[in-house]
Amino acid sequence: MTPRTTDWWRHAAIYQVYPRSFADGNGDGIGDLAGVRSRLDYLQHLGIEAIWFSPWYLTPMADAGYDVTDFRRIDPRFGTLAEAEKLISEAHERDIRIIVDVVPNHVSNEHAWFTAALNAEPGSPERELFWFREGRGDDGELPPNAWQSIFGGSAWTRVPDGQWYLHLFAPEQPDLNWRNPLVRAEYEDILRFWFDRGVDGIRVDSAAMCSKDPDLPDYDHSVFPDPHPYVDLDENHDIYRGWRAVADSYSEPRALIGEVWLADPDRFAQYLRADELHSAFNFDFLGCSWDPTALRTVIDQTLAAHVGVGAPSTWVLSNHDVTRHVTRYGRPDTSTAAGIRQYNPVVDEDLGRRRARAAALLTMALPGAVYIYQGEELGLPEVEDIPAHRRDDPIYHRTNGEDPGRDGCRVPLPWNGTTEPYGFSPDGAASPWLPQPATWARLTAAAQDADPHSMLTLYRQALARRAAEPALGDGPMQWLDYAPDVLAFTRGESFTCIVNLSATPVQLPDDAQVLVTSQPLSQGVLPVDTSVWLRTA
Ligand code: GLC
Ligand code: CA
């Protein structure tokens, strides 16, 4: 299939598939590539232009596949390399691009490099691929420093000969030493492996954390030091310049999309310079509360940060690491920071869903690319009552349950039917790997398919309109002063998006034609928590 453009990443609607929870083809209760292949028609009908796959590689699943044993093999739970190749070409036949997730910060503790390092002597070249150090204290019984794992507990684990190794995440995810040229060469080769198989882009996991200050200095965890010993070191840029050269060596250049969580927009933008990554996720937008001033500030800061480096902005509401936004928007505090992972909090789900509908239209109208996390198009809420014995996320286990972890946004998708597994698995299959709520019958794709008021219908309408509207996607936008606490902007000559975040309905402009609306309108009035796309003269 001839590619439409080589800069698809500047404007595309990109759908995140979390393979374990998307669709189960073989009936073991775990999503797989056969399941994805059987749902490509659904994704095409939805109107997305690319799929980002969370890791599908060989893994012991200590962190749901973000602990990779071998980047050149597909985990047998998901399928085979031949199936992945088929999936890539079947997606391409539908004009859908493929992005795969590459995790450079760490590998699995079952990776051949790490098992070799454990079998080798302290100080050996095998150990130099990781961060092995002697401990502190008289007998080295204390970890080399006080760094904490992002998943809870110490960032160090001791091995039988007494040395310790660094893992910023779980102990099953030893951090690689990016100062070692073998690490760099290996990852550039992994990129080629997937690009040679037709993959169009790479999502770079934890992209700003790869390099470490080799002195491994202690720091106060209650403040964010500058410079930080492992977040956003300048050396990172050199890594991605190498990756960019690989991506650009293809006749149709491949795209690099970074997971870059940084507070400083200018430091963030440095990753998007012309010879580094193509784009990065916008976590400020993802974390922003449902508030007109906060949203406008984040949008303006985002655009300002990107313009200097000529990179397109991205807009994200949810992913596999955060509370689903239907739930977040239904809480008294709608920012991610406050809303992150709770047990059965008070949530007004109807309000959350209404705001999520309005947010979808806002997001898809902004300049740049948009990411949609699987199930968002069904309006799925976070599942906050998963029983303890079914929880899987290492965050839950490493914090002794203090933090419920991320399982609540990873519950297998409901496709059809009225009870578990809601078509996620074929009839008579094993139970889904996480339990699905009894209330999801009305949220299945089948239940929403023909309903003109469903979230699925709204996403289909908006994505179709977005693709057909030349002024949407990449390009400029212009704010309008419309009404207090209302966000309004134009794209091009004749497209306007209005989002009513105020407490009262507002009048729409006369003689505007409604293209898409997140709630039914009557008499030219835009209700509260509603967005509309207009054709204006
Ligand atoms: C990223 C992933 C997350 C994973 C972590 C460690 O933040 O999105 O799911 O647990 O990296 O690889
Ligand atoms: Ca399966």
Side-chain angles (χ1 to χ4, degrees):
M1 175 118 299
T2 7
R4 276 187 313 152
T5 58
T6 52
D7 64 355
W8 56 275
W9 46 273
R10 296 193 72 93
H11 55 76
I14 301 165
Y15 186 90
Q16 180 187 359
V17 166
Y18 190 72
R20 205 179 183 187
S21 302
F22 185 71
D24 170 22
N26 69 353
D28 62 358
I30 301 170
D32 48 42
L33 300 191
V36 179
R37 290 175 62 204
S38 74
R39 300 289 180 185
L40 283 176
D41 287 342
Y42 168 86
L43 293 177
Q44 185 175 19
H45 184 194
L46 179 59
I48 51 98
E49 296 154 277
I51 305 172
W52 149 33
F53 284 94
S54 279
W56 57 17
Y57 319 105
L58 189 66
T59 171
M61 290 274 185
D63 182 24
Y66 282 91
D67 48 321
V68 178
T69 304
D70 186 343
F71 277 103
R72 297 179 185 80
R73 285 172 65 188
I74 300 290
D75 194 273
R77 297 177 194 85
F78 295 145
T80 62
L81 185 56
E83 259 180 304
E85 290 172 346
K86 277 200 198 115
L87 172 52
I88 294 165
S89 65
E90 288 165 354
H92 285 169
E93 281 161 23
R94 291 166 167 83
D95 248 338
I96 295 174
R97 308 284 182 151
I98 298 290
I99 298 166
V100 298
D101 213 315
V102 166
V103 186
N105 182 67
H106 47 266
V107 290
S108 164
N109 61 338
E110 295 187 8
H111 189 283
W113 276 1
F114 194 71
T115 48
L118 288 184
N119 291 327
E121 302 283 300
S124 60
E126 288 85 351
R127 289 208 173 174
E128 285 304 307
L129 295 171
F130 298 91
W131 292 99
F132 279 89
R133 288 288 188 276
E134 300 301 329
R136 291 176 302 180
D138 290 344
D139 300 309
E141 74 284 6
L142 297 171
N145 67 28
W147 293 4
Q148 295 296 295
S149 153
I150 290 153
F151 288 169
S154 170
W156 294 91
T157 290
R158 200 171 193 193
V159 302
D161 62 39
Q163 280 207 314
W164 299 74
Y165 69 89
L166 175 69
H167 51 85
L168 292 180
F169 295 92
E172 296 86 354
Q173 294 166 296
D175 279 45
L176 288 166
N177 173 9
W178 274 89
R179 301 199 132 200
N180 193 306
L182 289 179
V183 173
R184 296 186 55 145
E186 167 67 0
Y187 272 79
E188 291 181 8
D189 203 57
I190 291 165
L191 299 190
R192 285 191 204 94
F193 180 89
W194 287 103
F195 292 156
D196 290 346
R197 279 165 181 74
V199 159
D200 304 280
I202 299 288
R203 180 256 188 193
V204 189
D205 187 75
S206 303
M209 294 168 66
C210 293
S211 304
K212 276 97 196 169
D213 178 339
D215 293 339
L216 307 175
D218 264 325
Y219 68 99
D220 177 356
H221 280 78
S222 64
V223 294
F224 193 82
D226 179 25
H228 193 281
Y230 61 79
V231 176
D232 189 31
L233 270 63
D234 287 333
E235 288 165 55
N236 288 339
H237 298 288
D238 210 36
I239 300 173
Y240 301 124
R241 288 195 185 102
W243 290 30
R244 181 62 175 254
V246 174
D248 284 350
S249 71
Y250 286 79
S251 59
E252 197 192 323
R254 309 303 207 241
L256 304 172
I257 299 140
E259 186 200 17
V260 181
W261 295 83
L262 291 180
D264 178 344
D266 296 321
R267 294 292 304 185
F268 171 89
Q270 291 196 5
Y271 288 81
L272 305 180
R273 290 177 289 198
D275 59 348
E276 300 190 40
L277 305 178
H278 294 76
S279 71
F281 296 99
N282 185 345
F283 292 111
D284 293 335
F285 186 72
L286 174 145
C288 187
S289 50
W290 186 245
D291 171 85
T293 312
L295 280 166
R296 182 163 170 160
T297 304
V298 165
I299 293 167
D300 282 337
Q301 280 174 353
T302 300
L303 296 173
H306 285 78
V307 80
V309 286
S313 306
T314 64
W315 308 98
V316 196
L317 292 169
S318 278
N319 67 29
H320 65 294
D321 290 328
V322 299
T323 303
R324 282 191 178 274
H325 63 269
V326 159
T327 299
R328 172 162 67 89
Y329 285 148
R331 291 179 177 162
D333 184 332
T334 52
S335 70
T336 290
I340 207 159
R341 305 197 285 260
Q342 303 172 12
Y343 288 103
N344 297 315
V346 180
V347 176
D348 181 342
E349 210 176 287
D350 289 338
L351 178 64
R353 192 163 283 112
R354 182 186 179 92
R355 290 173 169 171
R357 294 174 65 90
L361 292 192
L362 166 64
T363 307
M364 290 188 219
L366 289 169
V370 55
Y371 284 81
I372 297 164
Y373 175 49
Q374 68 176 39
E376 170 180 336
E377 80 281 16
L378 302 176
L380 297 186
E382 184 83 1
V383 182
E384 300 187 294
D385 60 355
I386 298 172
H389 71 281
R390 298 291 299 272
R391 288 196 184 261
D392 181 77
D393 187 358
I395 291 184
Y396 171 80
H397 296 287
R398 286 184 63 79
T399 61
N400 293 320
E402 204 176 295
D403 183 332
R406 301 162 293 179
D407 294 319
C409 64
R410 299 174 175 181
V411 172
L413 294 194
W415 291 95
N416 53 55
T418 53
T419 51
E420 190 176 275
Y422 299 108
F424 171 71
S425 299
D427 285 345
S431 310
W433 70 278
L434 283 174
Q436 297 164 303
T439 50
W440 274 13
R442 69 197 164 87
L443 295 176
T444 65
Q448 300 194 39
D449 183 57
D451 175 357
H453 303 297
S454 69
M455 189 72 91
L456 181 57
T457 300
L458 177 70
Y459 269 70
R460 285 175 177 159
Q461 284 173 348
L463 287 167
R465 174 53 65 182
R466 185 178 184 276
E469 204 62 41
L472 292 187
D474 199 20
M477 69 174 271
Q478 201 76 50
W479 289 112
L480 296 175
D481 267 332
Y482 196 76
D485 295 338
V486 171
L487 295 184
F489 55 95
T490 58
R491 304 288 320 269
E493 298 289 292
S494 63
F495 179 96
T496 300
C497 174
I498 306 182
V499 188
N500 186 2
L501 291 123
S502 78
T504 49
V506 292
Q507 196 67 39
L508 289 173
D510 299 335
D511 67 21
Q513 177 201 344
V514 174
L515 301 174
V516 185
T517 172
S518 70
Q519 298 291 331
L521 306 176
S522 77
Q523 321 217 336
V525 167
L526 187 66
V528 172
D529 289 329
T530 302
S531 296
V532 69
W533 288 359
L534 300 173
R535 169 79 64 237
T536 38

